[in-house]
Amino acid sequence: VQLQASGGGSVQTGGSLRLSCAASRRTFGSSNMGWFRQAPGKEREFVGSITWSTGTTYYADFVKGRFTISRDNAKNTGYLQMNSLKPEDTGVYYCAAGGRSTQTFQWPYWGQGTQVTVSS
């Protein structure tokens, strides 16, 4: 069971980044995928998720209209497109699989995280 997040970096306010999460087929095959983030000194929080069966997406209020989650089942890869980035979006972004809620403890599989830094 492996998840590998990538695509993080440093951008200025208003910039964009696209994160990817490559999963082993065993993980990805029938699993929902979620994205979470953790800012320094704060708890990890839910960003959004996408269901395996219908591709339905869910987003935290603070990213609605700016972030888009998608997945390519053929490539066993999920994506988090982040636009109009703000300094408060800075943090380590994690992908997760196998869960179905906004609660971190309900997601059994996690990637290693990728750093996103947004400067003003």
Side-chain angles (χ1 to χ4, degrees):
V1 175
Q2 291 185 343
L3 295 170
Q4 182 76 31
S6 62
S10 296
V11 297
Q12 293 186 329
T13 298
S16 298
L17 284 172
R18 187 193 194 202
L19 306 185
S20 299
C21 180
S24 61
R25 184 174 181 179
R26 181 178 179 183
T27 307
F28 198 82
S30 60
S31 298
N32 298 333
M33 176 168 281
W35 288 93
F36 293 76
R37 70 185 186 187
Q38 188 165 18
K42 295 187 177 181
E43 293 186 352
R44 194 171 299 186
E45 63 181 353
F46 174 80
V47 173
S49 63
I50 185 167
T51 64
W52 164 75
S53 55
T54 61
T56 302
T57 52
Y58 303 89
Y59 298 97
D61 287 343
F62 55 78
V63 302
K64 284 182 180 178
R66 300 190 298 125
F67 291 10
T68 303
I69 294 173
S70 61
R71 63 189 293 161
D72 186 335
N73 288 349
K75 296 182 178 179
N76 296 330
T77 302
Y79 303 97
L80 176 64
Q81 176 67 45
M82 304 186 294
N83 299 326
S84 302
L85 284 162
K86 306 174 182 179
E88 51 264 44
D89 293 319
T90 294
V92 178
Y93 283 69
Y94 298 88
C95 60
R100 57 188 302 164
S101 80
T102 63
Q103 304 299 312
T104 56
F105 69 88
Q106 293 194 355
W107 294 79
Y109 308 116
W110 291 85
Q112 85 289 1
T114 184
Q115 177 69 43
V116 171
T117 303
V118 185
S119 58
S120 57

